[in-house]
Amino acid sequence: MWIGISPIMADIITRFAPSPTGYLHLGHAYAAEQAFGFARKHGGSCLLRIEDIDHTRCKPEYTRAIYEDLDWLGFDWPIPARVQSQHRGDYAKVIVTLNDKGLLYRCFKTRKELPDGPYRGGPDPNEAARMGAQEKFTWRLSMAKVEAHLGESELPFSDEVLARKDIGTSYHVACCHDDALQGVTHVVRGMDIQPLTAFQNLLQRLMGWPIPEYHHHPLRLNDDGDKLSKRNHDTSIRSLREEGYTAEEVLDMARP
Ligand code: GLU
């Protein structure tokens, strides 16, 4: 039985969980409005989480900018943000737990050796030698083992990587762990992440974590109908602020 330790006493807890890989743009302003707005509307709280486990892409200056930009837009969070890079030990424990249940295997394959699309491999026949040679590996969830463990068959999932070679964890593990730890009851996030939700629900079942309710909102696209990217500086919240727009105008502009 999982007992969350969220210090927040609210029936409804949402979270806004950006990754500091660039400056926040209009898409984030809308996503933040959805997550904070949902909590506000239902008398709950919205937490802020910095999803910065990927040190190859995240930068502290972007984390600082997230606080500043959200504050300027008028959002506030009841406790300090959870910064994932400060909690790597928590995510390592999840990997140990799943491995103790016999649900993981080491995968030594390089990106080039893997097929496009779903992959169900299994342990490497030369594992001992490759370990001896200190080759790097990922930890994958074995869907064959998961199906046997749950007594279910033909689950529509690939053997997902739960611990990457370079960062020792993965978005799925860190995100689901923290949703459980923080007592998140409602995940309000963009439709682009909807395809990942079913797999996250599987991980929650395996770990005995509660499954939150999910609301996936439409994305704020650019004028050509494409997703906004952090490389599009023209739609970054800070550049709009520098141009003299008010927070209200930026939020208005951000709605799809
Ligand atoms: N950190 C993810 C992102 O920036 C969001 C993850 C989530 O909301 O579950 O897209």
Side-chain angles (χ1 to χ4, degrees):
M1 168 80 188
W2 173 263
I3 301 180
I5 54 157
S6 174
I8 299 297
M9 298 299 289
D11 291 339
I12 304 262
I13 300 179
T14 63
R15 71 347 183 240
F16 180 54
S19 295
T21 55
Y23 291 119
L24 297 187
H25 53 58
L26 287 177
H28 296 102
Y30 180 67
E33 184 174 57
Q34 292 295 302
F36 283 95
F38 187 96
R40 203 177 286 161
K41 191 164 130 200
H42 295 94
S45 290
C46 181
L47 307 178
L48 176 64
R49 188 159 81 219
I50 305 295
E51 298 210 324
D52 61 345
I53 49 166
D54 187 345
H55 58 78
T56 65
R57 297 176 60 227
C58 296
K59 289 200 182 134
E61 69 187 86
Y62 295 135
T63 299
R64 285 193 293 274
I66 288 173
Y67 300 139
E68 246 177 61
D69 291 348
L70 290 178
D71 185 50
W72 179 76
L73 285 170
F75 300 116
D76 49 41
W77 42 100
I79 49 171
R82 180 169 168 93
V83 180
Q84 292 190 323
S85 59
Q86 296 171 1
H87 300 281
R88 292 187 186 280
D90 287 0
Y91 314 130
K93 279 189 208 147
V94 177
I95 299 301
V96 170
T97 303
L98 293 169
N99 193 38
D100 286 349
K101 289 180 198 272
L103 301 177
L104 303 184
Y105 64 89
R106 294 182 180 88
C107 176
F108 296 85
K109 290 204 187 310
T110 59
R111 217 161 266 181
K112 273 193 206 142
E113 291 171 312
L114 289 161
D116 290 334
Y119 173 76
R120 287 198 182 198
D124 193 298
N126 300 318
E127 179 173 306
R130 302 185 86 156
M131 289 289 288
Q134 299 195 333
E135 281 184 44
K136 291 215 162 94
F137 57 85
T138 62
W139 285 106
R140 281 182 188 271
L141 186 65
S142 161
M143 284 311 302
K145 292 281 172 59
V146 168
E147 288 178 351
H149 177 75
L150 296 175
E152 294 173 21
S153 56
E154 295 183 38
L155 294 175
F157 305 111
S158 166
D159 287 355
E160 292 290 335
V161 171
L162 294 189
R164 280 167 42 178
K165 282 180 191 171
D166 51 353
I167 61 173
T169 182
S170 61
Y171 155 64
H172 287 307
V173 165
C175 171
C176 294
H177 172 278
D178 285 357
D179 283 340
L181 179 80
Q182 299 187 291
V184 171
T185 59
H186 292 70
V187 172
V188 179
R189 62 185 181 188
M191 256 161 47
D192 53 334
I193 311 183
Q194 187 163 26
L196 308 181
T197 301
F199 180 76
Q200 296 190 350
N201 295 161
L202 175 70
L203 191 54
Q204 287 153 343
R205 281 177 71 193
L206 295 172
M207 288 300 296
W209 291 330
I211 299 187
E213 246 186 65
Y214 288 83
H215 296 262
H216 294 100
H217 59 74
L219 296 185
R220 201 307 188 168
L221 304 175
N222 68 18
D223 294 342
D224 301 329
D226 296 324
K227 234 179 106 172
L228 294 179
S229 115
K230 291 189 177 123
R231 285 177 295 274
N232 284 349
H233 288 295
D234 44 337
T235 64
S236 84
I237 292 164
R238 51 192 42 217
S239 62
L240 294 166
R241 175 168 80 226
E242 277 154 23
E243 281 172 45
Y245 288 97
T246 66
E248 212 163 290
E249 283 165 340
V250 169
L251 283 171
D252 206 39
M253 233 184 268
R255 295 184 192 110

mmCIF file of all heavy atoms in Angstrom, residues 20 22 29 45 54 62 69 87 100 113-114 122 140 174 180 183 199 202 206 238:
data_model
loop_
_atom_site.group_PDB
_atom_site.id
_atom_site.type_symbol
_atom_site.label_atom_id
_atom_site.label_comp_id
_atom_site.label_asym_id
_atom_site.label_seq_id
_atom_site.Cartn_x
_atom_site.Cartn_y
_atom_site.Cartn_z
ATOM 1 N N PRO A 20 13.191 22.198 -17.864
ATOM 2 C CA PRO A 20 13.956 23.413 -18.180
ATOM 3 C C PRO A 20 14.951 23.213 -19.315
ATOM 4 O O PRO A 20 16.160 23.297 -19.120
ATOM 5 C CB PRO A 20 14.640 23.734 -16.854
ATOM 6 C CG PRO A 20 14.779 22.414 -16.170
ATOM 7 C CD PRO A 20 13.630 21.559 -16.612
ATOM 8 N N GLY A 22 14.600 25.074 -22.117
ATOM 9 C CA GLY A 22 14.533 26.321 -22.869
ATOM 10 C C GLY A 22 13.611 27.249 -22.108
ATOM 11 O O GLY A 22 13.128 26.894 -21.027
ATOM 12 N N ALA A 29 2.384 28.658 -21.170
ATOM 13 C CA ALA A 29 1.491 29.578 -20.450
ATOM 14 C C ALA A 29 0.091 28.979 -20.423
ATOM 15 O O ALA A 29 -0.589 28.988 -19.388
ATOM 16 C CB ALA A 29 1.485 30.943 -21.133
ATOM 17 N N SER A 45 -4.995 22.592 -4.852
ATOM 18 C CA SER A 45 -3.680 23.231 -4.964
ATOM 19 C C SER A 45 -2.955 22.694 -6.189
ATOM 20 O O SER A 45 -3.094 21.519 -6.525
ATOM 21 C CB SER A 45 -2.806 22.869 -3.759
ATOM 22 O OG SER A 45 -3.286 23.482 -2.613
ATOM 23 N N ASP A 54 17.224 15.094 -17.010
ATOM 24 C CA ASP A 54 18.091 14.928 -18.189
ATOM 25 C C ASP A 54 19.125 16.053 -18.226
ATOM 26 O O ASP A 54 18.914 17.100 -18.818
ATOM 27 C CB ASP A 54 17.222 14.942 -19.459
ATOM 28 C CG ASP A 54 18.037 14.603 -20.682
ATOM 29 O OD1 ASP A 54 19.289 14.635 -20.607
ATOM 30 O OD2 ASP A 54 17.436 14.320 -21.734
ATOM 31 N N TYR A 62 17.433 28.024 -17.126
ATOM 32 C CA TYR A 62 16.037 27.850 -17.558
ATOM 33 C C TYR A 62 15.131 27.538 -16.369
ATOM 34 O O TYR A 62 13.957 27.883 -16.375
ATOM 35 C CB TYR A 62 15.929 26.744 -18.612
ATOM 36 C CG TYR A 62 16.645 27.065 -19.910
ATOM 37 C CD1 TYR A 62 17.445 26.110 -20.542
ATOM 38 C CD2 TYR A 62 16.509 28.314 -20.504
ATOM 39 C CE1 TYR A 62 18.098 26.391 -21.729
ATOM 40 C CE2 TYR A 62 17.167 28.608 -21.691
ATOM 41 C CZ TYR A 62 17.958 27.643 -22.295
ATOM 42 O OH TYR A 62 18.602 27.933 -23.467
ATOM 43 N N ASP A 69 9.053 33.464 -14.781
ATOM 44 C CA ASP A 69 7.982 33.629 -15.767
ATOM 45 C C ASP A 69 6.617 33.259 -15.178
ATOM 46 O O ASP A 69 5.622 33.932 -15.429
ATOM 47 C CB ASP A 69 8.253 32.768 -17.013
ATOM 48 C CG ASP A 69 9.445 33.273 -17.813
ATOM 49 O OD1 ASP A 69 9.913 34.405 -17.545
ATOM 50 O OD2 ASP A 69 9.927 32.537 -18.704
ATOM 51 N N HIS A 87 16.734 14.497 -6.459
ATOM 52 C CA HIS A 87 16.127 13.307 -5.851
ATOM 53 C C HIS A 87 16.433 12.029 -6.626
ATOM 54 O O HIS A 87 15.607 11.133 -6.682
ATOM 55 C CB HIS A 87 14.602 13.500 -5.753
ATOM 56 C CG HIS A 87 14.220 14.687 -4.928
ATOM 57 N ND1 HIS A 87 14.228 14.673 -3.550
ATOM 58 C CD2 HIS A 87 13.872 15.942 -5.290
ATOM 59 C CE1 HIS A 87 13.879 15.861 -3.094
ATOM 60 N NE2 HIS A 87 13.659 16.654 -4.126
ATOM 61 N N ASP A 100 13.797 -6.194 -8.146
ATOM 62 C CA ASP A 100 13.576 -7.224 -7.118
ATOM 63 C C ASP A 100 12.342 -8.064 -7.439
ATOM 64 O O ASP A 100 12.254 -9.224 -7.045
ATOM 65 C CB ASP A 100 13.403 -6.583 -5.731
ATOM 66 C CG ASP A 100 14.741 -6.074 -5.172
ATOM 67 O OD1 ASP A 100 15.788 -6.407 -5.756
ATOM 68 O OD2 ASP A 100 14.709 -5.333 -4.167
ATOM 69 N N GLU A 113 21.123 -0.654 -33.197
ATOM 70 C CA GLU A 113 20.789 -2.089 -33.191
ATOM 71 C C GLU A 113 19.309 -2.349 -32.924
ATOM 72 O O GLU A 113 18.851 -3.481 -33.038
ATOM 73 C CB GLU A 113 21.596 -2.806 -32.091
ATOM 74 C CG GLU A 113 23.080 -2.877 -32.371
ATOM 75 C CD GLU A 113 23.856 -3.403 -31.169
ATOM 76 O OE1 GLU A 113 23.628 -2.924 -30.048
ATOM 77 O OE2 GLU A 113 24.700 -4.279 -31.361
ATOM 78 N N LEU A 114 18.582 -1.301 -32.539
ATOM 79 C CA LEU A 114 17.179 -1.501 -32.160
ATOM 80 C C LEU A 114 16.256 -1.253 -33.348
ATOM 81 O O LEU A 114 16.527 -0.386 -34.187
ATOM 82 C CB LEU A 114 16.811 -0.545 -31.026
ATOM 83 C CG LEU A 114 17.450 -0.892 -29.678
ATOM 84 C CD1 LEU A 114 17.417 0.307 -28.755
ATOM 85 C CD2 LEU A 114 16.733 -2.086 -29.049
ATOM 86 N N GLY A 122 14.551 -8.973 -24.186
ATOM 87 C CA GLY A 122 14.848 -9.936 -23.130
ATOM 88 C C GLY A 122 16.323 -9.826 -22.802
ATOM 89 O O GLY A 122 17.073 -9.148 -23.517
ATOM 90 N N ARG A 140 15.369 -2.201 -18.903
ATOM 91 C CA ARG A 140 14.068 -2.216 -19.575
ATOM 92 C C ARG A 140 13.071 -3.021 -18.776
ATOM 93 O O ARG A 140 13.436 -4.016 -18.125
ATOM 94 C CB ARG A 140 14.188 -2.873 -20.959
ATOM 95 C CG ARG A 140 14.769 -1.973 -22.011
ATOM 96 C CD ARG A 140 14.800 -2.697 -23.357
ATOM 97 N NE ARG A 140 15.533 -1.916 -24.318
ATOM 98 C CZ ARG A 140 14.988 -0.993 -25.106
ATOM 99 N NH1 ARG A 140 13.689 -0.775 -25.088
ATOM 100 N NH2 ARG A 140 15.735 -0.309 -25.941
ATOM 101 N N ALA A 174 10.480 8.947 -13.017
ATOM 102 C CA ALA A 174 10.542 10.150 -12.176
ATOM 103 C C ALA A 174 9.156 10.799 -12.070
ATOM 104 O O ALA A 174 8.715 11.194 -10.990
ATOM 105 C CB ALA A 174 11.560 11.127 -12.761
ATOM 106 N N ALA A 180 2.931 10.194 -7.349
ATOM 107 C CA ALA A 180 2.494 9.411 -6.183
ATOM 108 C C ALA A 180 2.978 10.067 -4.894
ATOM 109 O O ALA A 180 2.209 10.283 -3.956
ATOM 110 C CB ALA A 180 3.031 7.981 -6.288
ATOM 111 N N GLY A 183 1.138 13.159 -3.923
ATOM 112 C CA GLY A 183 -0.314 13.031 -3.734
ATOM 113 C C GLY A 183 -1.124 13.695 -4.834
ATOM 114 O O GLY A 183 -2.236 14.189 -4.579
ATOM 115 N N PHE A 199 0.826 3.592 -20.480
ATOM 116 C CA PHE A 199 2.031 2.943 -19.952
ATOM 117 C C PHE A 199 2.317 3.418 -18.524
ATOM 118 O O PHE A 199 2.698 2.630 -17.657
ATOM 119 C CB PHE A 199 3.251 3.195 -20.857
ATOM 120 C CG PHE A 199 4.475 2.532 -20.292
ATOM 121 C CD1 PHE A 199 4.647 1.159 -20.415
ATOM 122 C CD2 PHE A 199 5.414 3.255 -19.575
ATOM 123 C CE1 PHE A 199 5.731 0.521 -19.830
ATOM 124 C CE2 PHE A 199 6.505 2.638 -18.987
ATOM 125 C CZ PHE A 199 6.664 1.261 -19.120
ATOM 126 N N LEU A 202 0.310 1.524 -16.150
ATOM 127 C CA LEU A 202 0.858 0.188 -15.898
ATOM 128 C C LEU A 202 1.947 0.261 -14.823
ATOM 129 O O LEU A 202 1.975 -0.530 -13.877
ATOM 130 C CB LEU A 202 1.434 -0.395 -17.199
ATOM 131 C CG LEU A 202 2.141 -1.740 -17.050
ATOM 132 C CD1 LEU A 202 1.130 -2.841 -16.757
ATOM 133 C CD2 LEU A 202 2.945 -2.091 -18.306
ATOM 134 N N LEU A 206 2.155 -1.563 -11.139
ATOM 135 C CA LEU A 206 3.275 -2.415 -10.706
ATOM 136 C C LEU A 206 3.895 -1.924 -9.402
ATOM 137 O O LEU A 206 4.361 -2.716 -8.593
ATOM 138 C CB LEU A 206 4.346 -2.487 -11.803
ATOM 139 C CG LEU A 206 3.899 -3.162 -13.105
ATOM 140 C CD1 LEU A 206 4.969 -3.008 -14.181
ATOM 141 C CD2 LEU A 206 3.583 -4.644 -12.875
ATOM 142 N N ARG A 238 9.210 35.450 -21.881
ATOM 143 C CA ARG A 238 10.047 36.598 -21.550
ATOM 144 C C ARG A 238 10.228 37.588 -22.693
ATOM 145 O O ARG A 238 10.301 38.786 -22.469
ATOM 146 C CB ARG A 238 11.383 36.216 -20.943
ATOM 147 C CG ARG A 238 12.215 35.209 -21.660
ATOM 148 C CD ARG A 238 13.338 34.792 -20.724
ATOM 149 N NE ARG A 238 12.785 34.639 -19.385
ATOM 150 C CZ ARG A 238 13.434 34.975 -18.242
ATOM 151 N NH1 ARG A 238 14.634 35.459 -18.267
ATOM 152 N NH2 ARG A 238 12.860 34.805 -17.086
#
